[in-house]
């Protein structure tokens, strides 16, 4: 008696196609789950629900593809669906990776750039550093010291000598150049806008020429202003110092003036945000030396970073910011454009930069929002109204960014944020806020106030001379 062996039926091409599609689906599901876990954007309940749905989906496809079946039409159809789903999952994982990378760029580190210039008179014959051999250089005696000394050392190595004279202020330094007391000056690029504020120096850039730029970069790791008092940003009220720089370069954040100075008091439990604007010319003591200056100058001191304005506002208002956020003007344009424009309410009718704004709601693109935020000369209360306009733009950005419409151009938005934005909020803080917003999808109620004082002319440390300031001796809050 012989026993015949029955061999397993050979798998057809349709079988192998289904198995490969199933394997691809399982792999892409795993990649998506790993990415969802690492981003920390989904609340635990929704994350478990997503993982469960993916397991059920993979299980159903396995039930279809793993057994041998005589009819292969279902396997082919299921395989095609599996590949489509796998492609969608892969796209989702890549998109989440882009979001994670962008947030890491703005939250956990930033490259800070300083540029110290060798500047000569516009009609000076020198065309390169080799041509200033034998020149006497003018420097500032107590500002941007580290970069200045590094540049002096470089000049000494290249030229053999770099004789120099120190001056007490940018104005005195410039006078020495104009009067040929020195052949060239070393000046941080961030000081040029400060110098051009002063009477008699508005044409500095026309009367001089940058011969050489000495660039230094460093990676900074922002930390909360008060590390001894950790904040749960999804439960505890917290304060963010928002600083808008006047730097026009879109891919860097220099230590330059802050033309916008706003404290954002955030209550995550009630979804309310209070914005308090402090005028750029507010007259306050510098925490690091007690000298009086305009608030707009406080962020120029590169070795102090955001500590100076945060400490100064703490002295003024008795409220210390837990975090800071800084954006440059070019970044503002990119962010608004990435959002598809924003609807801003204007309390005034005015024009600026070729744009006209009417009282009421105005739909603004990036450039228009920038003009709306910058104008102050059209108003009787000047800088105070500009501060209110800046807060109106922030309100509009928050409203648009917290709506589902933000998903339309999220990649462009992420790119603009990473190029022009830095914050001391950690990645985990931002992920927690995203998770909270995903969970309840509630809007935010934003209220704004402005601190006001009166105009005066007083000595400013950064300038080494008197300038127009907004004195706070009779400070008051206005809505």
């Amino acid at each position: 008696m012989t026993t015949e062996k029955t061999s397993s039926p050979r798998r057809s091409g349709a079988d192998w196609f289904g198995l490969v599609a199933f394997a691809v689906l399982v792999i892409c599901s795993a990649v998506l789950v790993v990415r969802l876990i690492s981003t920390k954007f989904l609340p635990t309940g929704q994350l478990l629900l997503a993982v469960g749905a993916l397991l059920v989906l993979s299980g159903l496809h396995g039930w279809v593809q793993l057994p041998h079946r005589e009819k292969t039409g279902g396997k082919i159809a299921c395989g095609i669906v599996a590949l489509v789903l796998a492609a969608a999952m892969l796209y989702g994982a890549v998109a989440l990776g882009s979001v994670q990378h962008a947030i890491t760029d703005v939250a956990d580190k930033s490259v800070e750039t300083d540029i110290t210039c060798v500047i000569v008179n516009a009609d000076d014959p020198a065309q390169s550093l080799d041509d200033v051999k034998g020149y006497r250089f003018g420097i500032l005696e107590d500002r941007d010291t580290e970069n200045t000394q590094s540049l002096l050392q470089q000049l000494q190595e290249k030229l053999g000598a770099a004789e120099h004279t120190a001056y007490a202020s940018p104005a005195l330094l410039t006078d020495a150049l104009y009067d040929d007391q020195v052949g060239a000056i070393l000046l941080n690029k961030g000081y040029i806008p400060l110098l051009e504020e002063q009477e008699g120096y508005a044409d500095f850039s026309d009367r001089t020429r940058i011969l050489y730029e000495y660039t230094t970069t460093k990676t900074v790791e922002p930390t909360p202003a008060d590390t001894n008092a950790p904040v749960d940003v999804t439960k505890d009220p917290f304060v963010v110092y928002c600083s808008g720089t006047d730097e026009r370069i879109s891919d860097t954040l220099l230590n330059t003036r802050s033309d916008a100075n706003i404290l954002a008091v955030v209550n995550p439990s009630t979804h309310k945000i209070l914005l308090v604007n402090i005028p750029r010319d507010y007259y306050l003591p510098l925490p690091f030396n007690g000298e009086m200056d305009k608030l707009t100058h406080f962020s120029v001191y590169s070795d102090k970073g955001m500590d100076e304005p945060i400490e100064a506002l703490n002295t003024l208002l008795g409220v210390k910011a837990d975090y800071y956020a800084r954006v440059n003007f070019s970044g503002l344009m990119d962010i608004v454009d990435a959002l598809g424009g924003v609807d801003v309410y204007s309390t005034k009718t005015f024009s600026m930069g070729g744009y006209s704004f009417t009282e009421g709601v105005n739909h603004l693109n990036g450039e228009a929002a920038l003009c709306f935020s910058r104008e102050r000369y059209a108003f009787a209360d000047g800088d105070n109204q500009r501060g209110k306009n800046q807060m109106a733009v922030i309100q509009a950005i928050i409203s648009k960014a917290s709506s589902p419409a933000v998903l339309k151009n999220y990649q462009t938005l992420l790119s603009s944020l990473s190029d022009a934005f830095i914050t001391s909020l950690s990645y985990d803080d931002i992920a927690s806020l995203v998770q909270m917003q995903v969970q309840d999808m509630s809007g935010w109620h934003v209220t704004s106030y402005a601190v006001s004082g009166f105009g005066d002319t007083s000595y400013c440390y950064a300038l080494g001379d008197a300038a127009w300031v907004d004195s706070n001796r009779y400070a008051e809050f206005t809505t």
Side-chain angles (χ1 to χ4, degrees):
M1 177 176 168
T2 60
T3 304
E4 293 186 4
K5 292 183 179 181
T6 58
S7 60
S8 300
R10 294 182 61 186
R11 290 191 177 272
S12 65
D15 282 318
W16 286 113
F17 169 75
L19 289 173
V20 170
F22 170 62
V24 170
L25 178 66
V26 171
I27 292 171
C28 290
S29 297
V31 170
L32 181 59
V33 168
V34 170
R35 183 63 74 184
L36 286 171
I37 294 172
S38 66
T39 57
K40 306 177 184 178
F41 289 162
L42 289 182
T44 303
Q46 293 186 21
L47 178 62
L48 292 175
L49 186 63
V51 172
L54 291 174
L55 287 173
V56 170
L57 190 63
S58 297
L60 289 174
H61 279 269
W63 178 75
V64 172
Q65 302 293 359
L66 291 177
H68 175 74
R69 300 179 188 277
E70 294 294 333
K71 296 181 179 180
T72 59
K75 284 179 173 283
I76 295 175
C78 193
I80 293 172
V81 171
L83 291 178
V84 171
L85 290 173
M89 292 175 188
L90 191 60
Y91 177 81
V94 171
L96 286 171
S98 298
V99 175
Q100 188 175 26
H101 178 73
I103 294 177
T104 300
D105 276 349
V106 302
D108 294 338
K109 64 181 179 180
S110 174
V111 175
E112 190 174 89
T113 304
D114 265 326
I115 301 175
T116 304
C117 305
V118 178
I119 301 175
V120 297
N121 285 309
D123 58 357
D124 192 290
Q127 297 298 316
S128 69
L129 283 184
D130 292 329
D131 299 330
V132 296
K133 187 173 184 177
Y135 279 31
R136 175 171 286 275
F137 298 94
I139 65 172
L140 289 173
E141 61 184 23
D142 60 354
R143 297 160 215 204
D144 195 38
T145 305
E146 183 178 345
N147 291 326
T148 299
Q149 292 302 319
S150 296
L151 178 52
L152 274 176
Q153 183 177 353
Q154 186 182 94
L155 291 171
Q156 288 171 348
E157 292 172 355
K158 183 175 183 61
L159 306 176
E163 298 295 329
H164 57 276
T165 302
Y167 295 88
S169 70
L172 292 174
L173 180 67
T174 302
D175 289 341
L177 178 64
Y178 288 167
D179 297 339
D180 295 323
Q181 296 174 20
V182 295
I185 61 175
L186 310 186
L187 185 64
N188 190 296
K189 207 169 187 177
Y191 278 90
I192 294 178
L194 274 65
L195 181 64
E196 292 178 335
E197 287 181 9
Q198 295 180 259
E199 186 176 353
Y201 300 94
D203 59 350
F204 174 80
S205 295
D206 295 326
R207 294 184 60 180
T208 61
R209 176 165 46 88
I210 295 177
L211 185 69
Y212 175 75
E213 292 185 347
Y214 175 72
T215 302
T216 58
T217 60
K218 62 180 179 179
T219 299
V220 294
E221 300 287 342
T223 55
D226 187 358
T227 54
N228 294 321
V231 176
D232 183 343
V233 295
T234 63
K235 297 178 181 178
D236 304 325
F238 60 93
V239 181
V240 182
Y241 167 57
C242 303
S243 167
T245 79
D246 62 358
E247 175 56 47
R248 269 66 170 178
I249 302 172
S250 63
D251 60 354
T252 187
L253 290 171
L254 304 181
N255 290 303
T256 58
R257 297 179 305 180
S258 293
D259 269 357
N261 297 277
I262 296 170
L263 287 181
V265 184
V266 183
N267 190 328
S269 299
T270 61
H271 272 243
K272 291 182 178 180
I273 300 175
L274 170 65
L275 301 178
V276 180
N277 175 68
I278 302 91
R280 67 187 291 277
D281 292 337
Y282 228 53
Y283 197 51
L284 299 166
L286 283 159
F288 82 97
N289 65 3
E291 296 281 354
M292 299 298 292
D293 209 336
K294 299 182 183 186
L295 179 59
T296 186
H297 298 161
F298 281 43
S299 56
V300 169
Y301 304 99
S302 59
D303 58 332
K304 307 297 179 184
M306 291 290 98
D307 290 345
E308 285 299 290
I310 286 174
E311 289 293 341
L313 294 178
N314 179 34
T315 301
L316 174 67
L317 302 175
V319 176
K320 188 168 184 178
D322 302 289
Y323 308 98
Y324 66 76
R326 203 162 199 228
V327 63
N328 64 26
F329 280 133
S330 295
L332 175 67
M333 290 194 296
D334 294 339
I335 290 169
V336 171
D337 283 335
L339 288 170
V342 293
D343 295 324
V344 179
Y345 186 86
S346 175
T347 59
K348 306 285 185 181
T349 296
F350 66 99
S351 298
M352 198 272 184
Y355 292 93
S356 295
F357 308 100
T358 59
E359 183 177 347
V361 177
N362 299 259
H363 183 77
L364 308 181
N365 61 18
E367 186 177 30
L370 179 60
C371 292
F372 183 83
S373 301
R374 273 188 177 159
E375 179 57 33
R376 59 173 170 162
Y377 298 109
F379 314 118
D381 54 351
D383 200 47
N384 290 328
Q385 182 61 42
R386 175 168 67 170
K388 294 176 183 178
N389 289 349
Q390 289 167 347
M391 290 190 290
V393 171
I394 291 175
Q395 284 182 260
I397 290 174
I398 291 172
S399 176
K400 191 70 172 285
S402 59
S403 70
V406 73
L407 299 175
K408 184 178 180 181
N409 295 313
Y410 80 94
Q411 287 183 321
T412 306
L413 177 61
L414 292 174
S415 177
S416 64
L417 282 174
S418 59
D419 285 343
F421 186 76
I422 178 175
T423 179
S424 60
L425 281 159
S426 69
Y427 178 90
D428 285 345
D429 289 330
I430 296 175
S432 295
L433 288 171
V434 172
Q435 188 180 114
M436 180 184 71
Q437 192 66 27
V438 168
Q439 190 167 18
D440 58 30
M441 294 303 291
S442 298
W444 291 80
H445 178 71
V446 182
T447 306
S448 60
Y449 286 85
V451 179
S452 62
F454 68 96
D456 199 358
T457 301
S458 299
Y459 173 84
C460 292
Y461 175 74
L463 305 177
D465 202 353
W468 179 262
V469 301
D470 196 349
S471 179
N472 61 62
R473 281 178 285 174
Y474 302 105
E476 60 183 22
F477 287 91
T478 59
T479 56

